[in-house]
Amino acid sequence: MNVARLSSSTLTSASLPKQLHQRVPAQFLLVDPPLPMGPEPNSHTALMLHDGFGSVSGVVWPEWRSFVSVPSLPAAVDVDGFVHVYEGALELKVRSLEPLGPDVVHCASALLPVTLCPKVARQALTDLIELEVSLSEPFSGFLRRVLLDPAIGIPLLSCRGSARHHHNFPGGLLVHSMHAVDLAAKLTRRFLPDDPESVPIAQLAYLLHDVGKLRSVGRSDPRPIGAYAMRHESANILLLAPHLQWLEAREPRYAHALMYVMDYLATPRETRGPGKYLVADIVAGLDCFSAASRNRRDLANLVRAC
């Protein structure tokens, strides 16, 4: 993964300094609560710190416990500590741990735990990190909030792209969602050459066009409770609503464009007609192409079918 494209001051689990006792300020995702390692008052507390590059064990000694503020989990956290080695493995002696708001997170996708991402989807996670660091505000702020949402970020890593059809394996949704992001940008530049603001809108719209499958498909069978209550295209709008409201307060045009694309996709194909905004047609078309690419609709299959 291209750590160099993150902030030069950002440390990850893959780039922690190996020198003993060196101080480390870093951002991680805390998924599980700290675990006390004994009943005694002077027992230390263990925790696991995750990001998109791996994970690192942390230990909090009693004298530093008052400096550790554990938020509702999962949550992005700012960690300050010192490197040391325990039983041959790198570990952090944590001096402080505080929750982070979206505005101070360097890169939300780089905090998503790669340990929870199926191997088949890890390249897609790398691509997602690359996408996020390429975005400018307020697009990057919008995406940070989406990915730090506990109902979206971590579940996106392992959700299937469908239950029975294309990308129907854990991690398939992330693979499908990143499959044509670059093409969405290229086609938008090609067909809307005087509209550069639509390029990141197209990228985000394609990335999030199936996010509702977190509620309708899930990682495995049985499907999530309420899976059949609404179409996944409608669930897209439901899941993204608070984040679209944030974007609308900062740049209404961008929010309205994304709302339009999501609403267009939620309209049955046989009744929606051509989009009022070409990005909606681009996203809808690329969605079909990505799905078809996993369904053996190639020349060899055509000839065999004949």
Side-chain angles (χ1 to χ4, degrees):
M1 295 192 180
N2 194 345
V3 180
R5 293 199 61 182
L6 299 178
S7 166
S8 59
S9 62
T10 303
L11 288 172
T12 71
S13 61
S15 63
L16 290 177
K18 301 303 185 288
Q19 296 91 337
L20 295 183
H21 312 302
Q22 184 164 341
R23 185 179 174 186
V24 171
Q27 296 184 357
F28 294 100
L29 200 71
L30 188 63
V31 178
D32 301 306
L35 180 65
M37 299 308 292
E40 300 81 6
N42 62 345
S43 297
H44 67 280
T45 301
L47 47 81
M48 187 62 68
L49 302 164
H50 297 274
D51 62 19
F53 307 92
S55 60
V56 61
S57 298
V59 58
V60 183
W61 293 101
E63 59 267 30
W64 297 107
R65 200 169 292 154
S66 62
F67 296 94
V68 172
S69 175
V70 179
S72 298
L73 301 179
V77 293
D78 183 70
V79 176
D80 194 310
F82 290 89
V83 175
H84 79 129
V85 173
Y86 177 71
E87 294 185 348
L90 197 68
E91 191 175 69
L92 282 180
K93 287 185 177 180
V94 177
R95 298 198 329 164
S96 68
L97 182 149
E98 297 181 350
L100 288 174
D103 290 324
V104 291
V105 167
H106 300 307
C107 180
S109 53
L111 297 185
L112 295 178
V114 68
T115 54
L116 300 181
C117 184
K119 288 184 179 180
V120 69
R122 290 184 181 177
Q123 180 58 51
L125 177 57
T126 301
D127 296 340
L128 177 58
I129 295 171
E130 295 289 322
L131 170 64
E132 184 180 345
V133 298
S134 73
L135 294 173
S136 60
E137 293 289 354
F139 298 113
S140 57
F142 168 74
L143 183 56
R144 282 197 305 274
R145 282 161 174 79
V146 169
L147 295 177
L148 291 174
D149 186 334
I152 299 177
I154 291 179
L156 178 62
L157 298 176
S158 59
C159 186
R160 298 171 294 171
S162 67
R164 299 287 180 269
H165 304 290
H166 70 92
H167 300 88
N168 58 347
F169 49 86
L173 178 58
L174 182 57
V175 173
H176 173 58
S177 298
M178 290 303 304
H179 190 190
V181 165
D182 288 344
L183 274 175
K186 289 177 181 178
L187 289 174
T188 303
R189 291 190 187 99
R190 176 70 177 269
F191 294 112
L192 295 173
D194 300 321
D195 189 7
E197 292 171 302
S198 285
V199 174
I201 292 170
Q203 292 173 303
L204 289 171
Y206 186 82
L207 169 65
L208 300 171
H209 77 276
D210 269 350
V211 71
K213 289 183 177 179
L214 298 175
R215 297 188 63 150
S216 65
V217 177
R219 175 186 172 87
S220 59
D221 289 328
R223 295 193 188 190
I225 295 174
Y228 299 100
M230 67 176 68
R231 299 168 64 245
H232 74 267
E233 294 91 346
S234 299
N236 291 343
I237 300 171
L238 185 65
L239 282 169
L240 295 174
H243 313 301
L244 288 167
Q245 289 173 2
W246 177 90
L247 183 60
E248 186 177 21
R250 283 146 187 84
E251 182 46 77
R253 294 179 306 139
Y254 300 160
H256 296 164
L258 283 169
M259 290 175 191
Y260 175 79
V261 175
M262 296 303 165
D263 183 66
Y264 180 81
L265 296 174
T267 304
R269 188 179 307 176
E270 59 273 14
T271 63
R272 65 192 180 199
K276 297 178 182 178
Y277 181 39
L278 185 57
V279 167
D281 295 287
I282 290 173
V283 171
L286 290 175
D287 179 28
C288 292
F289 297 152
S290 177
S293 72
R294 303 289 300 194
N295 286 334
R296 292 301 308 275
R297 290 164 63 181
D298 54 11
L299 177 60
N301 190 60
L302 172 68
V303 172
R304 183 164 51 251
C306 293

